[in-house]
Amino acid sequence: MTAAPSSLATRRSLLGALAAAAGLAPTGALALRRPGKPPLRDAALTDAAAAIPTPPALVRWLQKASFGYTQAEYTRLLSLGGSDDARWQAWVTEQLNPGAIGDSACDSRLASAAYLTLGKSLTQLWSDHHADTTNYYNRMLPVAESECATLLRATYSKRQLYEVLVDFWHDHFSVMGWDYNGGPVFVHYDRDVIRPNVLGNFRSFLEAVAKSTTMLYFLNNSSNTAGQPNENYARELFELHGLGAENYYGLLHQNQVPADPGNPAIPAGYCDDDVYEAARAFTGWTVKDGHWPYTSDNDGTYIYRSGDHDAGIKNVLGVHMYYNQPNELDGKQVLDAIASHPGCARFIARKLCRRFVVDEPSSTLVDTIANLFQSTWQASDQLRQVTQAILLSTEFKQSWGGKMKRPANAFVSALRGLGADFTPRPDNTTTYTPTEELLGRTQAAGHRLFYWPAPNGYPDRLQAWSSSGALGMTWRLLSRLPEVHQDDAYNGSKPLLIDVLGQTTAAVGTQATASAVVGYWCDRLLGPGFRPEPTYSTVVAFMQQNAAAAEALDLSKDEWHGGTTPDLKRHYTQQRLRTAVGLLMLSPDFLRR
């Protein structure tokens, strides 16, 4: 059998061209560099980045506020108003009330998955899974099923903005889901701590996280006592959850920290002494885990133990705490001081704007959102108001291409755009499953859900995901999707996860030109009528090969017609179609946000 003469060269040329167009690698090469380092650039790449193709407005906005544009959602969005701005405002208003959005199809898929742990209470998770020290699969089944359910919801739920916010706040209040003590009760953390609070009040959110079993273990506050203080949680409460390193004054004494410019009665930020004092404030906040001397208390729930609390005088962010205050009051006053602080407002505003707008949002936008955050710090719907203001802002609407889909986001976006039929399930056998392969590929790309070991959450900057390593593994993940079968990746008799051929022939027939085929998938993956260059022409050329531009491709063929020169034009087969669709997903136009 004679190999196709130009397919490999065309694929390599395409990858080089697409990477260069994205400003991700030197022209004609995918240069190796360490992950996380700035991409190499030259004048040509800078010019290319400045002239990136721009899809229709509604497509751009959906790409940034959901897990990926789909034709169905775009069509529905068109019916919501007489102008793009009116349609978008209607969509945002609808999405900010997720409880009113019917989601029966997603609910049915969740039910069909027959997950075993998602409905269990915290105490059931504790007794059924945390107590199991011999079967690691059963012990960690709650986090494994949470991961699968999260992917399923992100792909199929109509409550897209809600799922994006759940993803954001899981990164903000990040825990390693597979932590030995926290993983068995991770369902509780996701279901009862993160999800109910993403559109609520940040101060309430802080306390729910502080008292959650998973976080108490992950940041060691479960072992924080007056006799043996542990400052781990207190430090991350300031640096990652509340004020950010931008408001850290290091080794300065508390009375040396300058006053806040807007409120001279409070310090502008925190120092190490505030961390030490806050750690004392949270002594006694712990878990009923059966440890001596409380051997009969063992159900995994939060408890405040006054006997383990440091009842001494404290001072945190200018708040004086008196000796022997009532139960939990010290810790609650710390949370109040952080949630109401102007530095917290700026820190959270900047992170939310970074997620939805651009890596370095303007000071004008950040200040506007921070002012709203602070003025509503006691409102029950504070985060709903803040999210709405960002999504309706001019900067959100005008920005494009300054962000890229992180690997897990790109994976879900591909599943959505391709019309995949995928219900992920954890598996403890040696038999191949699509879930096992695809989650493994997501992990190899560096972005498996709930798998980040540090408490700072996955990076949310383009630079962190544009290294050759991260991009290469993301490309391997995406290009594999059209090939995966539901039960056996290497048995063509089993149904494909994504029926590219069936969807294509239903839309354009078995006889269609390369431009018609690629155009159809551009509409599906990139936006209606959107034909970005060089992506479009390069993928058309790959699909077309030696055929004339106006010649219909025979998509009924699935074999190589080798032999004489005229027959060489016959090697555009069903496999070439699946590869071409995969190549579209490797383009910067698909990965941009």
Side-chain angles (χ1 to χ4, degrees), residues 4 6-11 14 483 500-501 504-505 508-522 534-558 560 568-584:
S6 56
S7 60
L8 183 59
T10 302
R11 187 182 297 112
L14 175 63
E483 311 292 339
V500 168
L501 177 64
T504 305
T505 55
V508 302
T510 59
Q511 303 283 327
T513 64
S515 59
V517 170
V518 175
Y520 166 71
W521 283 105
C522 282
T535 299
Y536 174 70
S537 59
T538 312
V539 179
V540 167
F542 174 84
M543 189 69 200
Q544 182 179 322
Q545 288 298 300
N546 296 312
E551 183 177 349
L553 313 182
D554 188 351
L555 296 177
S556 67
K557 301 294 184 183
D558 192 22
W560 162 252
L568 292 179
K569 70 171 64 174
R570 303 297 302 171
H571 72 268
Y572 36 79
T573 62
Q574 296 164 13
Q575 178 58 46
R576 182 166 300 282
L577 167 64
R578 287 190 285 269
T579 302
V581 172
L583 289 171
L584 279 177

Side-chain angles (χ1 to χ4, degrees), residues 337-589:
I338 289 174
S340 62
H341 196 282
C344 175
R346 290 190 298 271
F347 174 57
I348 302 300
R350 185 174 289 107
K351 284 194 71 172
L352 280 165
C353 290
R354 180 177 299 129
R355 171 60 61 95
F356 286 109
V357 182
V358 70
D359 282 355
E360 298 298 338
S362 72
S363 58
T364 300
L365 178 63
V366 171
D367 288 346
T368 298
I369 301 304
N371 289 338
L372 176 61
F373 185 95
Q374 190 170 15
S375 67
T376 59
W377 83 273
Q378 293 177 300
S380 61
D381 65 342
Q382 176 195 21
L383 296 177
R384 186 191 311 270
Q385 293 186 52
V386 166
T387 304
Q388 177 174 308
I390 294 172
L391 295 183
L392 297 182
S393 69
T394 300
E395 289 196 37
F396 171 86
K397 292 179 178 180
Q398 291 182 348
S399 65
W400 178 247
K403 304 283 293 181
M404 68 180 293
K405 297 172 185 174
R406 301 185 297 179
N409 185 179
F411 172 39
V412 172
S413 181
L415 293 175
R416 286 172 57 76
L418 292 170
D421 181 13
F422 181 48
T423 300
R425 295 178 177 88
D427 188 80
N428 66 339
T429 71
T430 57
T431 304
Y432 166 86
T433 65
T435 302
E436 176 188 15
E437 177 186 352
L438 296 174
L439 295 188
R441 287 176 180 263
T442 308
Q443 183 176 333
H447 195 213
R448 184 167 181 174
L449 297 182
F450 316 135
Y451 217 78
W452 188 251
N456 59 343
Y458 281 108
D460 197 16
R461 295 179 182 272
L462 183 150
Q463 177 179 309
W465 303 103
S466 61
S467 70
S468 56
L471 272 175
M473 288 301 177
T474 302
W475 285 347
R476 291 188 67 180
L477 167 66
L478 297 179
S479 62
R480 179 76 175 113
L481 288 179
E483 311 292 339
V484 176
H485 296 258
Q486 286 285 31
D487 301 308
D488 183 350
Y490 311 105
N491 187 340
S493 66
K494 300 296 177 68
L496 281 163
L497 183 74
I498 297 159
D499 186 6
V500 168
L501 177 64
Q503 294 181 73
T504 305
T505 55
V508 302
T510 59
Q511 303 283 327
T513 64
S515 59
V517 170
V518 175
Y520 166 71
W521 283 105
C522 282
D523 289 343
R524 287 282 300 273
L525 296 169
L526 307 181
F530 186 44
R531 305 291 185 268
E533 295 293 354
T535 299
Y536 174 70
S537 59
T538 312
V539 179
V540 167
F542 174 84
M543 189 69 200
Q544 182 179 322
Q545 288 298 300
N546 296 312
E551 183 177 349
L553 313 182
D554 188 351
L555 296 177
S556 67
K557 301 294 184 183
D558 192 22
E559 71 277 353
W560 162 252
H561 291 263
T564 63
T565 301
D567 289 333
L568 292 179
K569 70 171 64 174
R570 303 297 302 171
H571 72 268
Y572 36 79
T573 62
Q574 296 164 13
Q575 178 58 46
R576 182 166 300 282
L577 167 64
R578 287 190 285 269
T579 302
V581 172
L583 289 171
L584 279 177
M585 294 186 295
L586 310 190
S587 71
D589 305 288

